[in-house]
Amino acid sequence: MNMSIKKVFAGAIMAVACFNVAVAANVTLTAGAQQYTTFSDPAGSGKQVTLSVGAMTGHHLELSNGTGTLGGIPTTSVGGFVGELNSLKSTLSATGAVVNSVYALVGGRVKTSTRALIAYDVAAQNATFDYSAVKLLEATSGGVLVISTDPIPGICNGGEIAIRNMRVDYSSKSIYGDVEVIRGGVGGSMFYPNAAIWTYESIVGNLTIPVRAMADNDLTALQQLGYMTPLRGTPGVDFSTKIVISGLKVTPSGLSYFADGLGLTVGSVYYNVINRFNTLPDGWGIISLDLRLKKQ
């Protein structure tokens, strides 16, 4: 084999290495990358589909406000974590993501001092699947959510909590993140990598990828299984589905992170308020994942 032919083969091998994901027990795909893997129908039909994770995949976190529903706006008083943040006059910001607030209507007018809904939207970095079961195991996003609170005499010492790289683990029903806490009053900064922040109680959506329906472009079956085809009839059809987890319950460690970041003293009135969120129907909030899959 001459040198030019060897170079051609070497180039081809490198190209495959760049775009193929090695088959293992689990496979992780980077959102928006030219990276794909071929899944086989676990039901044994012999059908296969080659997929990548689309760039529009992302998480949507809504903090609890007393409605218990995604996108719900309270018609009377605002409760839950949003109500607590209103009382503490906390501010929210984001890096590499977006924080949106909807304000309450009082007497037909917008009351900018009272937020009725707080949402955090962030693009996903990657998604991990069980290769054999063709099932979504977890999704990780980038971005940073920051909650800052100024000292209020007799109520809180102030502080800040930042949550980076939020990861939803559907197999353990847990939400993780890199947490940084700046304590007001006593001072000091603490960092907790890959910390368990919340667990969740219920899920709506289909974690299993419908290989056969995707391979056959069976639109009726896809819709019945909770998948949509926004680019139907075009090469490289996109499939999308929404997975919603609700009833977020803070972990014991997570409670201490938020208490320190908000500047709350154990046993104080506002500490006792956040300590009760786990007993509420909507807990601490709701997280949805908009999963986009591209067929190669």
Side-chain angles (χ1 to χ4, degrees), residues 52-66:
S52 62
V53 176
M56 296 301 290
T57 297
H59 280 122
H60 175 81
L61 164 66
E62 285 187 17
L63 303 180
S64 63
N65 60 3

Side-chain angles (χ1 to χ4, degrees), residues 28 126-129 135-140 167-171:
T28 298
N126 53 61
T128 299
F129 302 86
K135 183 177 181 180
L136 179 66
L137 297 177
E138 65 177 42
T140 302
R167 175 170 63 90
V168 179
D169 185 333
Y170 296 99
S171 56

